[in-house]
Amino acid sequence: MSFLASALRVWLAFRHKYRILYPMTAHAPPLRYGWTTGSCATAAAKAAWTALKTGQFPDPVIITLPGGQSVSFALANHGFNENGAWAAVVKDAGDDPDVTHGALIHAAVRERPEGSGITFVAGAGVGLITRPGLPLPPGEPAINPVPRQMITRALEDVSGPDVSVEVTVSVENGVALAQKTLNSRLGILGGLSILGTTGIVVPFSCSAWIDSIHRGIDVARALNLSHLAATTGNVSERAVQALYGLPETALIEMGDFVGGVLKYIRRHPVPRLTIGGGIAKMTKLAQGRMDLHSKRGSADMPALAALATVAGAGADLAEAIAVAPTVAEAFLLASHAEIPLGDHIAQAARQFALSVLEGSDVVLDVLVFDRQGQCVGRSHPVGNPPLKRL
């Protein structure tokens, strides 16, 4: 997902939140919830297994979500084949801009020898895990643990415990859809992941984005990478990667969620972390923000003026920065006066980030980039990376 898409997603989540808090000012209807790929795969698998056992496909088919709710799904297609039965459900993500919205989720089942349990197979459009660090080991189909549990429960609801069946999950056009996700970076190749922890898609939820951040850190740790870089967007990511020669698996596309990175790394430390981002976002990090989106608040311009004074700005320049309409304009004023404001922003951002990482031994540096990807501020001089946390 691009940084622009991330920004749009968070902005709409913020707008939706305040529709709920202040319904009298809302003119749009509430956003509609949807269903995860895990829920759709469960419904398709249960319908196919029911048909294999009874000769009839239930339509709609009812499944139980992890929270105990019963929900029904209409079948898009179904049938028998020489090995067993199959059914398909159209993924409905509600009002969430999910890349899998409208995708056809297909599940085929065939009986296995009694006592052999349930085996999950990646069909066309479902990826395989190729790197350690994810909830399932390399070689397994990317059908996550909770969807596996949901499918198991659904099949047991039909025929009792000790089900012996092979379940193959497929996603139509899944290979193409996976190119719009971070799967390849996580080492999930050949298609999509079958996901979900609640079975429900909450429109414009930030949880999926933060979860992808955590999984990226997990994969990097499992690969024993010594240096990770968390960046706010594509421009800063490419610049940091070029500067340090980092592999793709070391890159964490955090968007606005620097707090999601820092808090997770505090609990799951890595040897070294670089944080990189644009001038405005790094200014907000320097001012103690852990959600860098503009809708979560603007930068404190008087505080930026005070930082410019520390960097050497005179009273007139500090006053101009304090009333500047944007951080970018303030930075331009400082640049014209040859004030190293970018370095001071990076240093202040590093000090705040270190306070979040307190108790860990992570070596940290911060880089500030302009919109062209030029480094305009860094917490440590070129060629002199931090050797200690503090």
Side-chain angles (χ1 to χ4, degrees), residues 271 350-351 353-364 380 386-390:
R350 177 176 182 266
Q351 289 304 313
L354 285 174
S355 72
V356 180
L357 292 171
E358 190 61 43
S360 71
D361 293 322
V362 178
V363 173
L364 177 70
H380 294 77
L387 299 178
K388 299 179 181 179
R389 275 195 70 248
L390 295 172

Side-chain angles (χ1 to χ4, degrees), residues 109-243:
V109 299
R110 70 181 184 93
E111 290 192 273
R112 301 179 71 235
E114 186 176 350
S116 55
I118 298 180
T119 300
F120 293 94
V121 176
V126 172
L128 287 174
I129 295 170
T130 65
R131 292 178 184 148
L134 294 172
L136 296 165
E140 281 290 314
I143 303 170
N144 273 20
V146 172
R148 292 183 184 218
Q149 294 165 10
M150 292 173 64
I151 292 171
T152 299
R153 176 177 179 177
L155 302 190
E156 290 178 345
D157 286 345
V158 174
S159 57
D162 303 321
V163 176
S164 296
V165 59
E166 179 184 273
V167 181
T168 301
V169 180
S170 308
V171 181
E172 188 173 80
N173 298 320
V175 175
L177 292 172
Q179 295 175 0
K180 302 176 183 178
T181 74
L182 295 175
N183 272 16
S184 63
R185 182 171 293 182
L186 297 175
I188 300 170
L189 303 181
L192 292 163
S193 303
I194 303 301
L195 301 172
T197 55
T198 65
I200 300 170
V201 174
V202 179
F204 299 100
S205 169
C206 300
S207 60
W209 186 263
I210 294 174
D211 184 69
S212 73
I213 290 172
H214 295 171
R215 299 295 77 77
I217 295 170
D218 289 342
V219 168
R221 280 167 45 87
L223 293 173
N224 294 316
L225 298 183
S226 60
H227 186 183
L228 273 63
T231 57
T232 57
N234 293 331
V235 171
S236 55
E237 179 178 272
R238 289 193 299 268
V240 172
Q241 185 178 28
L243 182 65

Side-chain angles (χ1 to χ4, degrees), residues 23-372:
M24 293 302 292
T25 65
H27 299 290
L31 296 179
R32 189 170 59 88
Y33 283 39
W35 311 113
T36 63
T37 49
S39 291
C40 297
T42 298
K46 183 176 183 180
W49 185 241
T50 301
L52 199 59
K53 289 298 182 180
T54 67
Q56 298 293 323
F57 286 90
D59 191 5
V61 57
I62 298 172
I63 67 167
T64 302
L65 301 181
Q69 311 97 311
S70 294
V71 294
S72 63
F73 292 80
L75 300 184
N77 290 302
H78 57 78
F80 294 97
N81 55 37
E82 60 183 10
N83 294 318
W86 60 272
V89 170
V90 174
K91 163 73 179 286
D92 179 3
D95 288 325
D96 191 73
D98 192 311
V99 298
T100 59
H101 177 69
L104 192 66
I105 313 298
H106 182 285
V109 299
R110 70 181 184 93
E111 290 192 273
R112 301 179 71 235
E114 186 176 350
S116 55
I118 298 180
T119 300
F120 293 94
V121 176
V126 172
L128 287 174
I129 295 170
T130 65
R131 292 178 184 148
L134 294 172
L136 296 165
E140 281 290 314
I143 303 170
N144 273 20
V146 172
R148 292 183 184 218
Q149 294 165 10
M150 292 173 64
I151 292 171
T152 299
R153 176 177 179 177
L155 302 190
E156 290 178 345
D157 286 345
V158 174
S159 57
D162 303 321
V163 176
S164 296
V165 59
E166 179 184 273
V167 181
T168 301
V169 180
S170 308
V171 181
E172 188 173 80
N173 298 320
V175 175
L177 292 172
Q179 295 175 0
K180 302 176 183 178
T181 74
L182 295 175
N183 272 16
S184 63
R185 182 171 293 182
L186 297 175
I188 300 170
L189 303 181
L192 292 163
S193 303
I194 303 301
L195 301 172
T197 55
T198 65
I200 300 170
V201 174
V202 179
F204 299 100
S205 169
C206 300
S207 60
W209 186 263
I210 294 174
D211 184 69
S212 73
I213 290 172
H214 295 171
R215 299 295 77 77
I217 295 170
D218 289 342
V219 168
R221 280 167 45 87
L223 293 173
N224 294 316
L225 298 183
S226 60
H227 186 183
L228 273 63
T231 57
T232 57
N234 293 331
V235 171
S236 55
E237 179 178 272
R238 289 193 299 268
V240 172
Q241 185 178 28
L243 182 65
Y244 290 120
L246 296 174
E248 186 181 62
T249 46
L251 306 176
I252 308 298
E253 190 177 345
M254 69 179 180
D256 296 312
F257 305 117
V258 65
V261 171
L262 294 172
K263 292 177 182 179
Y264 197 73
I265 285 183
R266 182 176 61 198
R267 301 191 304 271
H268 307 87
V270 297
R272 182 175 176 185
L273 173 67
T274 294
I275 293 176
I279 298 165
K281 292 186 184 299
M282 292 300 96
T283 296
K284 285 193 276 189
L285 177 60
Q287 295 175 352
R289 305 280 181 82
M290 289 200 287
D291 184 337
L292 306 180
H293 195 271
S294 59
K295 293 298 180 179
R296 297 292 190 262
S298 302
D300 184 334
M301 300 307 289
L304 183 59
L307 187 63
T309 300
V310 174
D316 289 345
L317 177 57
E319 183 177 351
I321 289 174
V323 298
T326 66
V327 173
E329 185 169 329
F331 191 85
L332 186 62
L333 292 172
S335 298
H336 287 162
E338 298 185 349
I339 300 300
L341 183 56
D343 290 342
H344 283 71
I345 290 171
Q347 291 159 13
R350 177 176 182 266
Q351 289 304 313
F352 173 72
L354 285 174
S355 72
V356 180
L357 292 171
E358 190 61 43
S360 71
D361 293 322
V362 178
V363 173
L364 177 70
D365 68 319
V366 174
L367 302 175
V368 181
F369 297 95
D370 64 17
R371 292 182 178 180
Q372 288 70 48

